[in-house]
Amino acid sequence: MVNDIRKRSLFNGIVADLAKDVVSDKTHSSISHDMDDPSPSTSSFSNNSTTVTLSNGVRMPLLGLGTTHSGGYYHDAVLHALRYSGYRMIDTARRYGVETELGIAIRDCGLPRDELFVSTKLWSTDYGAGVESAFRNQSAKLQVDYLDLFMLHFPDVPEWLGSPRQVREETWRRMELLYDQGKCRSIGVSNFEVSDLEEFEDFASVLPHVNQCEFHALYDPTELREYCSQQGILFTGYCPLAKGRALGNEIIVKIAKKHQRTPAQICLRWSIENGIPVIPKSKDVARIEENAQIFDFSLSADDYQLIAALNSFSNKVLKHEDLSTKWNLPDGYKLAGRVYGIPSEQSIDSRPINKQDTKHRIQQLPSITNSPSMKHKGF
């Protein structure tokens, strides 16, 4: 591997093609939302691709920058990824507590808005009647007037909001309304299992374009992926390196030596060759550069067989937990003050959530029957 960062950057012309492919040929305002003519498959991918195509025709980069609050926020690393390493997708969430900081990076990186794919997630305490205000607040923090992807973070619903099934239905109808209004180019979910996704068959006019879940070389939820594929939902992956656990696996190391690559590059390449976007996070500029060098080699059939043998549920890093104990924790609570590279006055708002502010009752959506996506569903 070449260690000199300046030499690494010479290879980034391949990754920089992401800038050309992030959006479709149409402008944001003219993107078609006609779900009567969906793409026949979940995504469009070839070994030379730097993007996948969602069921509504929107192109999504295969490589993005993760920004989870574990490990802190490093502003210079984010700017380097956008300016010099070819990254064009930012994945975040209200819960991570860094949307304000990322908004500064989006503003200052020097890239046109339509070359970026900005993705964030709606936290469960904003479900129901809180969707629209959450969208306004989160997009304002990110300094954008539309989102490329807006997702429900979990299927879990706080008990004070009411019936989980009803809350999810109302929440999704409001997400569809944002989509119909052009405020979100695509809408999706995260951490949804098959049983959660099956609910959408009863009430959704627009099925989720994306389901983002844990996915890496040591853990491949094949049944969930197959269901998503059948429904035209793009399965995307977080935790692509299994929080570092995959990097020391002897099979991954063996394949890396064969290709003269790093274990991280093997894991990321394996994901994108499966047509699954990845969002590795790093505070280290050299690692950010390294993670971008995955578009100029391919894995062999033998490599695939070796990696397939590693798949086990026991390798799942993030176990589903009872979120009811965490509803009132402040956004970005795992940051623990580790926000670097920006003025202190731009640091996160760490005030705890006020239950009364987020106590939404199920309400009838205003003008919902005028929404284009609702008309053919009888609402």
Side-chain angles (χ1 to χ4, degrees), residues 95-292:
R95 193 56 167 169
Y96 303 160
V98 294
E99 288 177 321
T100 297
E101 288 75 11
L102 289 170
I104 298 170
I106 290 169
R107 181 195 68 195
D108 294 345
C109 70
L111 293 169
R113 171 65 183 93
D114 62 2
E115 288 190 11
L116 292 173
F117 191 101
V118 180
S119 169
T120 191
K121 305 174 192 73
L122 181 74
W123 185 235
S124 297
T125 55
D126 289 323
Y127 286 5
V131 171
E132 290 84 357
S133 61
F135 167 81
R136 289 192 297 270
N137 292 337
Q138 291 180 248
S139 58
K141 287 181 178 180
L142 290 165
Q143 301 194 36
V144 297
D145 56 6
Y146 68 91
L147 295 172
D148 295 283
L149 174 60
F150 198 24
M151 292 177 280
L152 309 188
H153 204 151
F154 284 96
D156 306 63
V157 175
E159 68 282 356
W160 68 84
L161 292 183
S163 162
R165 171 65 166 70
Q166 287 182 295
V167 173
R168 282 191 292 269
E169 178 176 348
E170 186 199 3
T171 301
W172 190 251
R173 290 184 180 185
R174 291 178 180 273
M175 294 283 281
E176 289 179 325
L177 193 57
L178 291 175
Y179 176 68
D180 287 336
Q181 293 169 344
K183 295 177 180 178
C184 303
R185 298 179 67 230
S186 57
I187 51 178
V189 296
S190 181
N191 300 299
F192 274 53
E193 299 293 338
V194 171
S195 59
D196 302 314
L197 294 170
E198 287 175 337
E199 282 187 357
F200 288 93
E201 298 176 14
D202 297 331
F203 58 76
S205 296
V206 179
L207 288 177
H209 298 116
V210 166
N211 183 22
Q212 185 188 92
C213 300
E214 180 177 339
F215 177 81
H216 46 77
L218 307 183
Y219 173 68
D220 177 3
T222 53
E223 290 185 11
L224 177 58
R225 282 214 290 141
E226 288 171 3
Y227 179 85
C228 288
S229 179
Q230 292 166 2
Q231 299 298 315
I233 301 168
L234 177 66
F235 184 93
T236 69
Y238 64 73
C239 207
L241 307 180
K243 287 192 175 293
R245 298 178 191 179
L247 304 183
N249 181 277
E250 61 181 13
I251 297 298
I252 301 297
V253 171
K254 177 182 177 181
I255 295 172
K257 289 180 178 179
K258 168 186 168 182
H259 290 276
Q260 295 186 308
R261 297 284 173 160
T262 66
Q265 289 171 328
I266 297 302
C267 291
L268 297 175
R269 181 66 197 180
W270 177 78
S271 291
I272 68 168
E273 284 193 13
N274 277 285
I276 297 175
V278 290
I279 47 170
K281 175 186 176 178
S282 180
K283 65 181 181 181
D284 184 83
V285 168
R287 291 283 175 82
I288 287 172
E289 295 270 353
E290 173 190 313
N291 291 342

Side-chain angles (χ1 to χ4, degrees), residues 282-317:
S282 180
K283 65 181 181 181
D284 184 83
V285 168
R287 291 283 175 82
I288 287 172
E289 295 270 353
E290 173 190 313
N291 291 342
Q293 311 304 323
I294 56 174
F295 293 98
D296 57 350
F297 74 102
S298 298
L299 300 177
S300 68
D302 289 341
D303 297 334
Y304 271 87
Q305 287 184 342
L306 290 171
I307 293 174
L310 302 176
N311 182 30
S312 171
F313 181 79
S314 64
N315 293 328
K316 192 174 189 298
V317 174

